[in-house]
Amino acid sequence: MKIVSSKEKSETHSELCVTNNTAKMAEAAILGFLQNNESIPDSGKFAAELNLDHEEIKNVIKSLQGFRYIEAKELKRETLVLTDEGKKYAAEGSPEFHFFSAVPEEGSISKDDLEKKLEASVFKIGSTQAAKKKWVAMGKQVSRKVQHVEDKVKESLLQIQQGLELDQESLNSLKARKLIVTQGWTGYSDVKKGPCYAPKRKIFATDLTRENLQNWKELEFKEYNFNAKGQPLDAGHLHPLLKVRKQFKDIFCQMGFEEMPTNNFVESSFWNFDALFQPQQHPARDSHDTFFLKGSMLESSATEFVSWKILSQLTPSTTRELPEDYVERVKQVHESGGYGSRGYNYDWKREEANKNLLRTHTTAVSSRMLYALAKGPFTPKKYFSIDRVFRNEAVDRTHLAEFHQIEGLICDRGLTLGDLIGVLQAFFSRLGMPKLRFKPAYNPYTEPSMEIFSYHEGLEKWVEIGNSGMFRPEMLQPMGLPEDVRVIAWGLSLERPTMILYGIDNIRDLFGHKVDLDLIKRNPICRVGIE
């Protein structure tokens, strides 16, 4: 806590008194002038004539205008002002004039001796400008070419200070040397009496105090402005993605779904690919499409602080904890099939399954949840998740290396493709997309699989909005789920519907380091599916 001395308090009080007195003087000058004159043509000239601060005059005009004592028009123009260097030349003269004056009228002077007589900046600029204007002959010896010169630079700068006009050539020369700059000027013109004009401002009561209420007949209260905006509140703002995410989450919850834990961005290849019956030679498992973790990165950065024994436990490139009996069943179904499948007929490698990666889809979480469900007595479940996933993709207007995936699944006995279509109709109808079409598709872990299309009223065409299917027996049976249990699932991105709802055509304007903070502060409330 800062302790303010009595001297500082006194100085502050004095400054406030001076400011208030200046404002009162400016107000009295304006109202008094208009009492006997029709208008004030220019606030700048008015302030200069009365030797008053123009900024104070502007503030008073704005205040009086607000109370309709006066009327005024805003005035904007550009003026030329001297830079610090220009002010120095206007007061002391230009470097070329000093350079010329230092050269003797008769004979010559060595360049070294001349440099010793002048300041470094004067010598450097002056020698260049004097030679350019052909005032002197430059060499090892410096001599005059003319006997008399005029310091036109100083004269021009003084004229600008006095508000006089210069020819364009002189202005261009001074601007090129950065001796003058253009500065915006604002003021008021045609200042005249308003509908509530009075030679002296009335003092209005502004507070509803006990004394003011008791004497209300004798007082005139300030008019209340119901259209005035209050001070903006400093508070956090939800990102558009979070607003749309909340709407999707509410819809899932209304339909009786339970949210899955999606807090692990790093996943093993086993849960991300192998458990989903995705073969190890599948293109999606290539490093061009997936971000794999490397243990050497951690080792190189942590060697100085952690022992090698601990490092061997922290190295994230591979996983060390997988359910061995389940891994064996997954290996068998990949190599030789089972549960009505021939498998992929290849040598399944544990090393590939152990590789850690940034999950490419939240279906890796679904596989973990279904495996956990299979370990106990079977209970029908509805699960959903909305979280971030990662793909090694080139970044452009519609693709990022990280984005959000929405996934829903239902696990129950005897489910069919008709159940999937019915659930999708109910789900997307709540999103305001009742018109759906389905197209057969291929996914390694769903059969049958369908792409989902919705009719876009604005574009007047069918657009793809998601993917869906029924998890294959080769995925579900090794987990230990009963044979008659089926799982229907669908997924879509969070970014695409958000971009449509908020009219954003470049995904990099929505998510990432290029996002405009004003977009976060000013985006409207999201109501998915509500007109």
Side-chain angles (χ1 to χ4, degrees):
M1 181 177 179
K2 182 180 179 181
I3 300 175
V4 181
S5 67
S6 58
K7 182 181 179 182
E8 288 176 320
K9 287 182 180 179
S10 177
E11 290 175 354
T12 304
H13 179 71
S14 300
E15 290 172 2
L16 290 172
C17 290
V18 170
T19 303
N20 290 334
N21 289 335
T22 307
K24 288 178 181 178
M25 289 173 58
E27 183 176 300
I30 294 168
L31 293 175
F33 184 87
L34 290 177
Q35 189 175 9
N36 303 314
N37 297 274
E38 186 177 343
S39 67
I40 299 173
D42 189 304
S43 63
K45 293 179 180 178
F46 180 78
E49 289 171 0
L50 298 179
N51 197 26
L52 293 171
D53 181 30
H54 182 242
E55 286 299 317
E56 198 66 59
I57 290 289
K58 280 168 53 180
N59 292 336
V60 170
I61 289 175
K62 187 175 181 180
S63 174
L64 291 172
Q65 193 177 17
F67 287 98
R68 303 200 294 173
Y69 278 83
I70 62 173
E71 294 177 350
K73 296 178 181 177
E74 285 191 9
L75 182 64
K76 294 181 180 181
R77 60 171 175 252
E78 290 186 344
T79 59
L80 294 171
V81 295
L82 273 59
T83 62
D84 291 340
E85 188 178 3
K87 291 175 183 177
K88 181 180 179 182
Y89 294 176
E92 302 174 3
S94 66
E96 54 264 38
F97 185 78
H98 286 292
F99 185 89
F100 177 82
S101 301
V103 178
E105 295 182 6
E106 301 293 336
S108 61
I109 184 173
S110 69
K111 192 174 180 180
D112 292 339
D113 290 342
L114 189 57
E115 187 173 0
K116 292 175 183 177
K117 291 178 65 175
L118 300 170
E119 293 180 10
S121 61
V122 172
F123 178 83
K124 182 179 179 181
I125 300 172
S127 60
T128 303
Q129 294 295 330
K132 185 178 179 181
K133 294 177 179 179
K134 298 180 180 179
W135 291 355
V136 296
M138 295 294 294
K140 290 184 177 180
Q141 294 292 119
V142 182
S143 61
R144 292 188 179 185
K145 283 188 174 183
V146 294
Q147 290 303 314
H148 301 285
V149 296
E150 294 181 3
D151 194 353
K152 292 186 177 180
V153 170
K154 179 178 180 179
E155 292 175 5
S156 298
L157 292 171
L158 291 173
Q159 286 179 340
I160 290 173
Q161 279 186 328
Q162 296 166 7
L164 303 176
E165 293 186 0
L166 286 181
D167 61 276
Q168 193 61 44
E169 184 179 353
S170 298
L171 289 175
N172 291 340
S173 175
L174 294 176
K175 286 180 180 179
R177 293 180 66 174
K178 297 182 179 179
L179 301 179
I180 59 172
V181 291
T182 303
Q183 190 175 72
W185 182 92
T186 59
Y188 291 93
S189 66
D190 195 22
V191 181
K192 55 187 180 182
K193 296 176 182 177
C196 299
Y197 171 80
K200 189 175 181 180
R201 188 199 290 254
K202 295 179 183 178
I203 299 176
F204 294 96
T206 57
D207 297 319
L208 295 177
T209 63
R210 180 184 177 188
E211 292 77 12
N212 287 348
L213 290 174
Q214 287 175 338
N215 304 308
W216 66 272
K217 289 183 179 180
E218 302 170 8
L219 298 173
E220 190 171 346
F221 285 88
K222 179 182 176 182
E223 184 179 346
Y224 197 90
N225 183 3
F226 288 96
N227 297 319
K229 294 182 178 180
Q231 289 292 327
L233 296 176
D234 291 330
H237 301 271
L238 285 177
H239 191 283
L241 283 171
L242 293 177
K243 293 184 177 181
V244 178
R245 183 187 187 278
K246 178 64 165 59
Q247 294 297 306
F248 275 97
K249 182 175 180 178
D250 288 347
I251 290 172
F252 274 116
C253 291
Q254 290 164 12
M255 295 178 67
F257 282 73
E258 176 186 340
E259 188 170 12
M260 295 185 282
T262 55
N263 52 319
N264 291 334
F265 287 173
V266 175
E267 189 56 271
S268 68
S269 293
F270 176 79
W271 291 109
N272 196 82
F273 293 124
D274 296 275
L276 304 182
F277 195 57
Q278 192 159 327
Q280 293 184 341
Q281 65 270 26
H282 194 279
R285 301 181 68 155
D286 190 85
S287 60
H288 294 294
D289 294 293
T290 302
F291 291 109
F292 288 95
L293 274 66
K294 291 184 178 180
S296 58
M297 294 173 63
L298 178 61
E299 289 168 10
S300 61
S301 62
T303 305
E304 298 179 8
F305 308 102
V306 192
S307 69
W308 284 104
K309 183 176 181 181
I310 298 176
L311 274 176
S312 66
Q313 299 170 358
L314 294 178
T315 301
S317 60
T318 58
T319 185
R320 289 173 174 78
E321 293 184 4
L322 291 175
E324 295 300 329
D325 55 339
Y326 178 43
V327 170
E328 190 60 35
R329 293 195 295 272
V330 169
K331 175 184 177 182
Q332 182 179 348
V333 78
H334 274 253
E335 290 183 341
S336 56
Y339 317 104
S341 170
R342 293 184 300 176
Y344 292 115
N345 294 315
Y346 72 100
D347 291 330
W348 185 86
K349 297 178 180 179
R350 177 65 180 265
E351 306 84 64
E352 288 292 324
N354 285 345
K355 290 181 179 178
N356 279 342
L357 48 81
L358 294 179
R359 67 181 179 212
T360 61
H361 49 194
T362 53
T363 315
V365 181
S366 301
S367 64
R368 284 181 175 271
M369 295 297 292
L370 290 172
Y371 174 71
L373 183 64
K375 293 172 72 174
F378 177 72
T379 304
K381 286 288 184 180
K382 294 180 180 179
Y383 290 129
F384 81 94
S385 64
I386 308 172
D387 212 337
R388 197 174 302 185
V389 296
F390 307 86
R391 306 273 176 89
N392 192 0
E393 294 185 352
V395 176
D396 57 29
R397 295 176 65 87
T398 57
H399 296 86
L400 289 176
E402 54 180 311
F403 56 97
H404 296 78
Q405 181 179 334
I406 302 169
E407 183 167 340
L409 67 89
I410 299 176
C411 178
D412 203 350
R413 298 181 187 273
L415 294 175
T416 65
L417 190 64
D419 294 309
L420 174 59
I421 293 173
V423 171
L424 293 177
Q425 289 283 2
F427 178 77
F428 284 101
S429 292
R430 292 171 183 258
L431 298 177
M433 294 182 279
K435 298 179 181 179
L436 298 182
R437 283 182 179 175
F438 305 97
K439 177 183 175 182
Y442 168 76
N443 287 316
Y445 46 89
T446 59
E447 181 61 36
S449 306
M450 301 185 301
E451 292 175 350
I452 311 166
F453 291 81
S454 175
Y455 186 75
H456 194 291
E457 299 291 346
L459 300 176
E460 296 184 347
K461 66 176 184 179
W462 293 88
V463 295
E464 184 181 353
I465 56 173
N467 216 318
S468 66
M470 300 183 67
F471 284 157
R472 299 175 65 116
E474 297 96 323
M475 172 185 166
L476 301 178
Q477 298 299 309
M479 293 178 176
L481 289 169
E483 292 185 8
D484 60 343
V485 168
R486 303 287 182 266
V487 178
I488 56 177
W490 67 98
L492 62 154
S493 76
L494 181 62
E495 280 74 8
R496 179 174 290 185
T498 304
M499 291 172 68
I500 293 172
L501 286 167
Y502 285 94
I504 299 170
D505 61 358
N506 191 329
I507 195 170
R508 290 169 290 192
D509 294 333
L510 176 69
F511 188 69
H513 65 284
K514 294 184 177 181
V515 171
D516 182 5
L517 289 179
D518 282 340
L519 168 71
I520 313 300
K521 294 177 181 178
R522 299 179 182 177
N523 64 82
I525 293 172
C526 173
R527 286 291 182 266
V528 176
I530 297 178
E531 297 296 334

